[in-house]
Amino acid sequence: MRLSVNVYQQAARSVEIRQRIRAAIHETPCIFSRGGSNDQSRLAYKCENLQRTGSFKFRGAMAKLTTLPTDTPVITASSGNHGLAVATTAQMTGHALTVVLPETVAQEKLSRIQALGVRTILHSNDSGLAERHAREMADAEGITYVSPYNDADVIAGQGTIGLELIDQLPELDTVYIAMGGGGLISGIGCVLKAYAPRTRIVGVSAVNSSAFATSLRAGHPVEVDHKPTLADGVAGGFDADTITLPLAAEVVDDMIDCTEAEIAAGIEQIAWTEKMLVEGSAALALAAWTKDTGRRGTGPSVVLLCGANFDRAALAPILRGDA
């Protein structure tokens, strides 16, 4: 399929932003699995769990705030990782910041955001409703809203991961990426389809909260019921007018849905085989690779480990074998 100019423009924006934020972010490693099977020998992890603030979100936050004058107050909403990333970036740039989070935010993430001294507000039990509240506050108070995903600069910041993957693994066959609001997969997808078009891009959703995947399949925003999920970083809804939906529609080749049991198995595998502790959204991507046995190519596959800001109370039963 011929790509639109929007995809190429988004990819070019990632190239420009990479140069601007390169000194602030970590170029995270892409490491091959320690597993001994033939399949695992071709499995690699892009370790955004080792990024500053513990997730890929720092890239998008840095990309956005460095475009805004430092005397511009900002507000954002997040299920945790984006809020932590923007709070850390604001501490570096000097922006005054308010973070709106759902009441269900992982305590670990909430504590780290509050420790940075920014104004925090808990609102509702759904990240989509928290985003709506933040936008309403931005309008009422006349301050700038920073979307976790519905922003070209934020998306381009996440796209810098794709540029690193091209450098680190030129023969990349398939990449598995968890989907929440679509910023991560849109950013990486635009870069890979522009500069490494043969790479297969697989979007991964949690069955318990699959608004973005359901909407992609339908071709328009769809409301779904949201249930608790270990992949809390991708939970909740998204803006009806998000620019990520049409971008993802062009660059995502396949989608895979995973259950809570499959996500838990991914957490265990990464912990015991790879010796890393990651959050559920990262394990979600591995769960999709595990299910995708019939579609993998002969080249290396990459599972995007999007973050490591897990809730200890949620992971402990899984690692003990109680879950």
Side-chain angles (χ1 to χ4, degrees):
M1 182 180 72
R2 171 175 272 180
L3 300 174
S4 72
V5 67
N6 292 335
V7 171
Y8 291 108
Q9 288 175 339
Q10 194 63 52
R13 191 187 294 256
S14 288
V15 173
E16 182 274 321
I17 281 177
R18 186 187 191 189
Q19 296 306 312
R20 173 148 48 86
I21 69 175
R22 200 167 198 164
I25 64 172
H26 296 326
E27 182 169 318
T28 55
C30 188
I31 60 174
F32 277 91
S33 172
R34 299 185 185 196
S37 73
N38 287 336
D39 281 348
Q40 288 171 322
S41 71
R42 298 191 302 273
L43 168 63
Y45 296 95
K46 178 60 172 166
C47 296
E48 283 298 292
N49 53 312
L50 303 180
Q51 186 56 258
R52 292 182 69 163
T53 76
S55 89
F56 74 94
K57 292 286 191 178
F58 183 68
R59 296 174 184 263
M62 182 62 66
K64 182 62 179 179
L65 262 62
T66 52
T67 69
L68 300 173
T70 55
D71 61 353
T72 301
V74 295
I75 185 170
T76 194
S78 170
S79 60
N81 282 332
H82 174 73
L84 178 59
V86 178
T88 302
T89 304
Q91 193 175 57
M92 298 167 68
T93 60
H95 290 89
L97 172 67
T98 299
V99 181
V100 181
L101 304 108
E103 295 167 357
T104 52
V105 63
Q107 186 59 46
E108 175 88 7
K109 296 174 184 177
L110 176 61
S111 298
R112 290 181 65 189
I113 292 169
Q114 291 176 329
L116 291 168
V118 302
R119 178 189 178 198
T120 58
I121 296 171
L122 297 180
H123 178 82
S124 82
N125 61 356
D126 177 83
S127 59
L129 294 177
E131 289 173 26
R132 186 181 307 170
H133 185 65
R135 289 195 300 271
E136 291 170 352
M137 288 184 63
D139 292 339
E141 299 181 17
I143 56 180
T144 299
Y145 175 67
V146 178
S147 172
Y149 54 86
N150 192 11
D151 183 283
D153 289 319
V154 171
I155 294 169
Q158 323 309 17
T160 60
I161 297 170
L163 295 170
E164 291 177 14
L165 281 173
I166 291 170
D167 292 341
Q168 293 168 327
L169 208 60
E171 301 303 314
L172 175 61
D173 183 276
T174 303
V175 60
Y176 299 85
I177 305 171
M179 299 188 298
L184 180 62
I185 199 163
S186 295
I188 296 175
C190 287
V191 165
L192 292 179
K193 289 304 181 186
Y195 302 123
R198 283 179 283 192
T199 302
R200 176 173 166 249
I201 298 170
V202 179
V204 191
S205 70
V207 169
N208 279 12
S209 192
S210 59
F212 198 79
T214 302
S215 299
L216 264 185
R217 290 183 174 110
H220 57 83
V222 176
E223 292 285 340
V224 304
D225 292 331
H226 298 285
K227 301 175 184 177
T229 175
L230 289 166
D232 62 287
V234 299
F238 59 92
D239 297 345
D241 65 348
T242 184
I243 61 175
T244 58
L245 197 60
L247 287 174
E250 288 198 70
V251 302
V252 175
D253 297 301
D254 293 298
M255 286 181 281
I256 297 174
D257 305 312
C258 297
T259 66
E260 294 303 293
E262 290 165 338
I263 298 168
I267 291 172
E268 286 188 280
Q269 181 173 330
I270 294 170
W272 303 131
T273 301
E274 314 302 342
K275 311 307 180 189
M276 290 186 286
L277 294 180
V278 298
E279 60 188 79
S281 300
L284 174 64
L286 177 61
W289 175 86
T290 302
K291 293 180 73 169
D292 197 32
T293 53
R295 298 291 306 277
R296 298 186 206 135
T298 57
S301 295
V302 163
V303 164
L304 198 290
L305 297 183
C306 53
N309 295 321
F310 55 85
D311 182 16
R312 186 179 305 181
L315 251 64
I318 295 170
L319 299 176
R320 288 196 306 263
D322 299 339

